[in-house]
Amino acid sequence: MAFVITHPCVGEKSGDCVDVCPVDCIEEGEDQYYIDPEICIDCGACVTVCPVDAIVDETEMAPEDDKYLAKAKEFYGIS
Ligand code: SF4
């Protein structure tokens, strides 16, 4: 399980999440930031600092946000 950065980040990219992640698993992509699902420890620290509420628990994601988990996996080369 992991947290996933979804659609509000696209075009926003505040990057506040990067500074609070204790395991340094958030990286900047071309149009949004991404959480490495294999490193995230589910602490939730990034969720509270995101100004656009873009970060959600993988298990509570809306079906239409599934593509953002797939996008993160693709970004990190996870199959
Ligand atoms: Fe990093 Fe915690 Fe957010 Fe996972 S939930 S990306 S470990 S700050």
Side-chain angles (χ1 to χ4, degrees), residues 3-52:
F3 279 74
V4 181
I5 301 178
T6 63
H7 59 92
C9 183
V10 177
E12 177 71 27
K13 291 180 74 178
S14 82
D16 294 20
C17 51
V18 176
D19 298 331
V20 301
C21 181
V23 292
D24 202 21
C25 71
I26 306 176
E27 282 184 45
E28 184 175 2
E30 197 172 312
D31 61 341
Q32 67 164 101
Y33 281 82
Y34 294 103
I35 292 171
D36 187 330
E38 292 193 334
I39 299 177
C40 176
I41 58 170
D42 306 326
C43 71
C46 55
V47 176
T48 50
V49 299
C50 179
V52 291

